[in-house]
Amino acid sequence: MKKKTAEGQWWRRLDNTAKIFPVIASEAMSQVFRVSVTLKEPIKPEVLQQALEDILPHIRNFRVRLRRGIFWYYFEENKRVPQVQRESTYPCRYIDPHGNRKFLFRVTYYERRINLEVFHALTDGLGAVNMLKDLTSRYLQLIRGEDGIWREEDDKSPESQVFTVEDSYLENYRDIPRRKYSSRPAYRLEGNYLPLGTGQVLHGYVQVEELKGVCHRHGVSITKYLAAALIWSIWKEYLKGKPWEQPIVLNLPINLRAFFASETMANFFAVTMIGYRFRDPSTSFESLLAKVSSQMDKKTDRKRLEECISYNVSREKKWYLRLIPLVLKRIAVNIVFWLKDKAYTMTLSNVGVIQVDPEDQKDVERFHIMIGVSRRQPMKCTICSFGQEMVITFTSVFSDGHLQRRFFDKLREDGIHVRLEGNEPSWARKRDMYPHIRKILILQKGGEAKASRMVKQVEKTGGQVALGLKGYLNGSKDWKEELRRRFHV
């Protein structure tokens, strides 16, 4: 729900899931993910900038800045203009809410690729894909010299292009018995870390028809097969195929829109844990696949997902928890997140099939998606497909790539051809799709920038307080509206 401030800016609360991300995000754990599209011609930055400026007024969910209230963070309208930049560093870097013109996303380009990096509080993978598709469509319209649908006088604009940002968690909340979720520690990946701020990216390209053929032989879906292959690879590579007390657990995000008929551009996903404890060294891949398939069938039905929504929203509705100041909530949320973080080995996210408008298909080559990693979450895997090609992407803070190699070798053993491509720290032979970064001092640069901002903010604090008090006294500011905005009452 959006409301107006005294200055005419609208604001809204964060959705149920988004509230955790500003609390836990930092330079060391960015909570940023990237969706990118590769075109068949080099990117023209001035046209990309114009395309971004054309569509942003109609996509309110991205035209916000993050503000800190007494009890929770909230979004406020951002009237600035974001700037497109050439990619010059590692993907999924932290987005400082006080920098980047206070936007929670960034648009970069490199050669033929457009990158959209998003802070997870803003939206989830599907919301970012929709934003990138519109940006790409407008860019290609400008390249072709077409007016498109983004002009103000067009009947399809602006109302039809203002995507809904309702909190679908609250919309679909039901007061039903809630299932408790285990936070029992899972097996954790270890390795030699890359320098802070760097990261290894490895893309594996496979043909969808080949993959479907293998899945058909096993009688399972693509996600089930890839999840089992990843668990199998971790067991073989890290545990050498031996019995182990701790289970190998994958954290699987699930798009809830298909289950609850939502079109929100805000976050609307749930996570489920799929895992296996290897007790028998003779365990076969087929038996593991059967267990994974059975777990996914049980945990991804509507009833279980309703229980998940009920579990998450019920805490937000408790009045005594709502009255706890944000400074204390930050401590509690970080503790809870740390416990849940230990309950899984790594994340596997399948965004599914990405489609574009027919007139744009001839200009689009492929899509990529990746999730930022940290030393607490050292490796993640994402999947998306476009046309007849699927891209499986590993992001990692480890200097080696033996798990990725084992995983793709497993696919090759099953008859699936794989072509690899990556960035400079990866072991892929083809590594020219990302810029070469000779020197990076992320921690130092981030610290200097943050210190400079703090100095500027301290200098302005006294004047801002005086102006604020004057506004309330002369009636130009509504103190009741400010209380509703800050206190969420």
Side-chain angles (χ1 to χ4, degrees):
M1 183 173 66
K2 297 183 283 292
K3 299 180 181 180
K4 290 282 187 177
T5 66
E7 294 80 10
Q9 291 178 311
W10 54 263
W11 67 276
R12 65 178 177 85
R13 298 180 176 93
L14 276 67
D15 62 72
N16 177 264
T17 297
K19 290 180 177 178
I20 189 175
F21 295 115
V23 175
I24 62 176
S26 66
E27 291 274 5
M29 189 165 60
S30 69
Q31 299 301 319
V32 171
F33 63 95
R34 171 190 283 196
V35 183
S36 59
V37 58
T38 302
L39 305 183
K40 295 181 180 179
E41 298 293 336
I43 302 301
K44 297 182 178 180
E46 67 280 0
V47 180
L48 182 59
Q49 178 66 42
Q50 185 61 55
L52 180 58
E53 294 179 17
D54 285 352
I55 72 168
L56 193 59
H58 309 295
I59 306 181
R60 289 187 173 181
N61 190 47
F62 282 74
R63 204 173 73 249
V64 297
R65 58 178 178 170
L66 187 67
R67 300 299 299 273
R68 183 171 180 168
I70 300 299
F71 296 117
W72 280 115
Y73 290 91
Y74 63 93
F75 289 138
E76 186 177 78
E77 183 180 10
N78 188 352
K79 296 183 178 181
R80 295 174 175 82
V81 179
Q83 295 297 307
V84 169
Q85 295 181 344
R86 184 182 184 275
E87 182 180 1
S88 60
T89 185
Y90 292 95
C92 302
R93 288 277 314 283
Y94 176 63
I95 296 178
D96 191 332
H98 301 292
N100 192 40
R101 301 200 173 190
K102 299 192 176 180
F103 285 99
L104 301 177
F105 70 95
R106 65 170 70 97
V107 176
T108 62
Y109 66 92
Y110 184 75
E111 303 294 344
R112 296 182 292 119
R113 191 178 67 249
I114 301 173
N115 309 308
L116 174 64
E117 295 190 338
V118 182
F119 181 41
H120 218 324
L122 201 58
T123 187
D124 55 20
L126 186 60
V129 167
N130 288 336
M131 165 68 171
L132 180 62
K133 285 165 59 177
D134 284 324
L135 176 62
T136 304
S137 179
R138 181 54 180 158
Y139 171 82
L140 292 174
Q141 286 172 358
L142 292 173
I143 290 292
R144 295 190 294 259
E146 301 172 2
D147 288 334
I149 64 172
W150 298 100
R151 297 178 62 181
E152 290 294 337
E153 62 268 22
D154 197 305
D155 291 336
K156 295 181 180 179
S157 174
E159 285 79 11
S160 67
Q161 296 299 332
V162 178
F163 301 126
T164 177
V165 289
E166 68 177 8
D167 189 341
S168 290
Y169 295 102
L170 296 178
E171 292 288 332
N172 292 279
Y173 169 73
R174 303 289 183 271
D175 189 9
I176 59 177
R178 293 176 289 277
R179 182 185 300 270
K180 292 185 177 180
Y181 293 87
S182 173
S183 57
R184 182 176 179 177
Y187 177 76
R188 303 290 289 175
L189 302 179
E190 297 290 343
N192 297 318
Y193 293 105
L194 291 166
L196 184 64
T198 63
Q200 181 183 153
V201 179
L202 182 68
H203 305 293
Y205 303 103
V206 302
Q207 292 300 305
V208 174
E209 288 303 317
E210 284 188 355
L211 184 57
K212 281 184 176 179
V214 173
C215 295
H216 181 73
R217 291 202 304 269
H218 289 290
V220 296
S221 68
I222 288 177
T223 304
K224 290 175 180 177
Y225 169 78
L226 294 177
L230 185 53
I231 293 174
W232 177 264
S233 300
I234 294 172
W235 182 48
K236 289 294 186 179
E237 188 63 33
Y238 278 87
L239 305 181
K240 308 305 179 185
K242 298 177 180 178
W244 202 263
E245 179 63 25
Q246 294 173 317
I248 297 171
V249 181
L250 299 182
N251 181 42
L252 246 66
I254 301 169
N255 176 26
L256 295 176
R257 294 171 182 83
F259 294 89
F260 298 95
S262 170
E263 296 182 355
T264 183
M265 277 279 283
N267 286 287
F268 194 42
F269 69 97
V271 293
T272 187
M273 304 295 187
I274 303 297
Y276 188 78
R277 183 181 302 159
F278 290 90
R279 295 188 176 95
D280 185 357
S282 63
T283 301
S284 66
F285 177 74
E286 288 70 23
S287 63
L288 170 64
L289 181 57
K291 293 289 185 181
V292 169
S293 178
S294 175
Q295 285 186 51
M296 291 185 67
D297 287 339
K298 292 178 181 177
K299 294 185 177 183
T300 57
D301 66 79
R302 184 184 174 95
K303 182 179 179 181
R304 290 293 294 267
L305 296 175
E306 284 181 339
E307 292 174 353
C308 181
I309 293 175
S310 174
Y311 176 84
N312 292 331
V313 176
S314 63
R315 275 136 179 80
E316 181 181 345
K317 286 185 169 290
K318 295 182 184 299
W319 65 269
Y320 53 87
L321 294 179
R322 294 174 65 182
L323 293 178
I324 298 175
L326 180 57
V327 64
L328 298 180
K329 281 193 176 89
R330 290 178 63 90
I331 299 173
V333 168
N334 272 285
I335 293 174
V336 172
F337 181 78
W338 179 76
L339 291 173
K340 289 188 175 182
D341 204 30
K342 295 174 63 178
Y344 63 90
T345 306
M346 64 177 291
T347 295
L348 174 67
S349 178
N350 188 355
V351 176
V353 179
I354 300 177
Q355 297 177 330
V356 298
D357 295 334
E359 59 269 24
D360 297 333
Q361 287 183 356
K362 65 181 185 299
D363 299 306
V364 176
E365 186 172 292
R366 62 173 58 92
F367 284 83
H368 297 89
I369 185 165
M370 65 183 76
I371 310 175
V373 287
S374 66
R375 295 196 176 189
R376 282 177 58 178
Q377 300 172 343
M379 189 178 299
K380 297 183 180 182
C381 181
T382 52
I383 307 164
C384 69
S385 61
F386 176 74
Q388 293 302 310
E389 183 182 67
M390 176 174 287
V391 184
I392 305 171
T393 300
F394 283 88
T395 48
S396 170
V397 295
F398 295 142
S399 58
D400 60 73
H402 54 83
L403 174 58
Q404 299 94 309
R405 186 182 289 107
R406 170 74 72 166
F407 173 82
F408 288 120
D409 283 347
K410 169 60 182 170
L411 268 57
R412 291 188 177 106
E413 290 170 6
D414 288 346
I416 302 169
H417 294 88
V418 182
R419 180 173 62 87
L420 299 176
E421 191 173 20
N423 69 344
E424 193 171 356
S426 76
W427 50 273
R429 289 185 178 181
K430 188 175 181 182
R431 300 186 298 184
D432 56 357
M433 68 178 299
Y434 291 95
H436 294 281
I437 304 166
R438 295 182 180 179
K439 185 178 180 181
I440 186 164
L441 298 173
I442 292 175
L443 185 60
Q444 292 87 336
K445 287 185 178 179
E448 291 170 1
K450 192 170 185 178
S452 299
R453 286 192 302 272
M454 291 177 64
V455 170
K456 293 178 181 178
Q457 289 172 0
V458 169
E459 289 175 351
K460 296 178 180 179
T461 299
Q464 289 174 344
V465 171
L467 289 173
L469 291 174
K470 181 180 178 181
Y472 295 125
L473 291 174
N474 63 23
S476 63
K477 287 188 174 183
D478 186 350
W479 63 270
K480 293 182 180 179
E481 173 61 25
E482 186 68 15
L483 285 177
R484 283 195 294 269
R485 183 163 59 127
R486 295 279 183 176
F487 287 79
H488 288 185
V489 293

